[in-house]
Amino acid sequence: QVQLMESGGGLVQPGGSLRLSCETSGFVFAANAMRWLRQAPGKGLELVSVIQSGGDSAYYVDSVKGRFTISRDNAKKTLYLQMNSLKVEDTAVYYCTTGGRRTPFTTPRGQGTQVTVSS
């Protein structure tokens, strides 16, 4: 059974930083591309970033390029998202899932972690 548990969200002022984590179990983490999605209030899911199974290639949506960094620790079966220079528009619930850029958003995800950027 695929399990994903996101953590690390919170309330931060614009310009601040947060580091999200996603602990996983129930599948071969090291064999899967992983990604972060987010859902802002009143909006649909948005792909934020993808990292390939070996951690050697990553994709970022234009709005977070240069500010967010995705990484993974295959030994710990954990996915990370370092978020710097946060903006109000980054406010959303963040989810981790398996999959790449073209994988449908229907893959299992955890409960999510709330990121609120506000002054």
Side-chain angles (χ1 to χ4, degrees):
Q1 181 182 358
V2 174
Q3 292 190 330
L4 307 124
M5 184 168 65
E6 302 92 343
S7 62
L11 173 63
V12 64
Q13 292 185 340
S17 297
L18 285 172
R19 189 192 194 208
L20 306 185
S21 298
C22 174
E23 298 179 10
T24 75
S25 63
F27 65 101
V28 183
F29 180 80
N32 280 269
M34 295 294 297
R35 60 188 181 174
W36 287 97
L37 310 178
R38 66 184 178 186
Q39 187 166 25
K43 297 187 177 181
L45 284 167
E46 176 188 31
L47 176 64
V48 176
S49 184
V50 178
I51 188 166
Q52 297 305 312
S53 58
D56 54 340
S57 177
Y59 160 84
Y60 299 93
V61 69
D62 284 347
S63 59
V64 309
K65 281 181 182 176
R67 300 189 298 120
F68 290 11
T69 303
I70 191 171
S71 62
R72 63 192 295 161
D73 186 329
N74 285 347
K76 294 183 178 179
K77 302 179 182 180
T78 302
L79 180 71
Y80 303 99
L81 187 67
Q82 177 67 44
M83 305 188 296
N84 299 330
S85 302
L86 282 161
K87 303 177 180 180
V88 172
E89 51 265 42
D90 295 318
T91 295
V93 179
Y94 285 71
Y95 302 94
C96 72
T97 83
T98 59
R101 293 180 61 183
R102 295 174 179 80
T103 305
F105 289 165
T106 53
T107 51
R109 58 182 186 264
Q111 81 290 345
T113 187
Q114 175 70 50
V115 171
T116 302
V117 185
S118 175
S119 55

